[in-house]
Amino acid sequence: MARIGVCVLGAGDMGRTHARSWSQVEGAELIAVADPDEARARKSCEDHGFDRWFTDWREALEQPGIQAVSICVPSGYHCECSTAAMGHGYHVLCEKPLAVCEEDALAMVQAAERTGVLLGVAFCKRFSNAIHKVRDIVAGGGIERPVMYRFATGWEIRFKPWIMDRRLGGGPIIDLACHYFDQWRFIFESEPVRVKASGMTFSIGAPELLGVEPEMDTATILVEHDSGDVGVISVSWGLPRGTRSGSLEDVLGPAGVISLEGLDKLTLVRSGGEEVFEGLGNDMYLDQTRAFARAVTEGAPLSTAGADGLTALRVSLAAIESARSGVAVELEGQG
Ligand SMILES: NC(=O)c1ccc[n+]([C@@H]2O[C@H](COP(=O)([O-])OP(=O)(O)OC[C@H]3O[C@@H](n4cnc5c(N)ncnc54)[C@H](O)[C@@H]3O)[C@@H](O)[C@H]2O)c1
């Protein structure tokens, strides 16, 4: 593969994941990593073989030879960092969610159009073998249509306060549910048209969230697609320390059910018996990074672009609006 100069902004959990993935991409030259936390920037530099580390992300972007930038900073900063990188003419692979407000997401999509660079959104589950398997079964009529995809989980208040904050992370309806809003579009091969939600905020006043303005942390959201398929997600990030709920992930259809156990195993149960698919787990982050590198160097299509990130964000924002107003929200122009 052709050479590709890489900069990674952020050296937290996902920054390290992107750095590790880029270090395994043929032709990638790791030029700069930045994080305001010096120890993190330095460690990622040493561990993954960047030329230099920075505490100032703007300085990192000034380095010669960069072509692609991974944006792995808290979501409320995605727009500022991505548009600056695109302003330099760099291709951007931005972590999901694209942004936490529509204004930022639109500015990012417009910046990509204006500068002519690629804006990829890291919806990593598009690269999961398990999710591809679910899509193949649904598309092949394995459980017939329409289907209802259900996911439910409940976790204690997140340990990174920024992720609960309305301006920085957006809470689970924006941060976590966006994976599902995107993968339903992928699996159903159709667009979301209507969103109905109920929600609440358990974590108001929690001592560990001092200074945080928590977004709704508990919700059940129903998304109807123009194919007639439906997605349901029920999630909480507001449970007290040391607790968690059970979880459920399955796809119901008129002819059977697909049950997922993480992203490694799924079981297809129909009247005639059951089929188990195991060992599906793969390094979706590496596959995602390789695909983005191919898009940059060979013009291969992006799996998810800025417009896909914007669509997922609009579903999240519609869910919050519906939970506040108590009425369903129609998604205009998505169908
Ligand atoms: N794809 C996935 O499955 C997945 C999983 C987790 C997180 N994420 C997303 O990845 C992003 C980062 O999340 P995380 O879990 O790595 O968070 P994190 O808190 O572990 O790391 C964020 C890092 O960014 C640094 N930072 C803050 N502002 C910065 C700036 N302007 N420039 C450079 N660095 C800056 C922080 O010091 C911190 O080290 C978020 O958008 C999050 O939603 C995606």
Side-chain angles (χ1 to χ4, degrees), residues 193-196 317-319 321-322 325 327-331:
V193 290
R194 190 171 301 104
V195 181
K196 176 79 179 72
L317 296 174
E321 183 188 332
S322 172
S325 69
V327 296
V329 174
E330 308 288 327
L331 295 170

Side-chain angles (χ1 to χ4, degrees), residues 16-48:
R16 286 194 297 274
T17 301
H18 279 240
R20 176 176 48 77
S21 299
W22 277 115
S23 72
Q24 294 173 65
V25 171
E26 306 72 23
E29 192 183 315
L30 278 65
I31 292 178
V33 57
D35 197 297
D37 181 325
E38 181 178 327
R40 286 186 176 188
R42 185 194 294 270
K43 175 133 180 43
S44 183
C45 183
E46 288 166 3
D47 288 351
H48 304 291

Side-chain angles (χ1 to χ4, degrees), residues 193-207:
V193 290
R194 190 171 301 104
V195 181
K196 176 79 179 72
S198 290
M200 50 204 81
T201 311
F202 291 163
S203 60
I204 290 173

Side-chain angles (χ1 to χ4, degrees), residues 129-130 133 259 261 263-268 274-282:
N129 288 342
K133 189 77 199 166
S259 296
E261 288 175 41
L263 291 174
D264 192 56
K265 178 180 172 187
L266 59 89
T267 309
L268 169 62
E274 69 174 45
E275 263 179 281
V276 179
F277 302 91
E278 283 181 286
L280 295 170
N282 62 306

Side-chain angles (χ1 to χ4, degrees), residues 12-14 35-36 40 57 75 78 95-96 160 162 175:
D13 289 331
M14 289 318 290
D35 197 297
R40 286 186 176 188
W57 61 272
S75 312
H78 284 181
E95 261 307 331
K96 50 50 60 184
K160 297 173 187 173
W162 68 259
D175 189 89

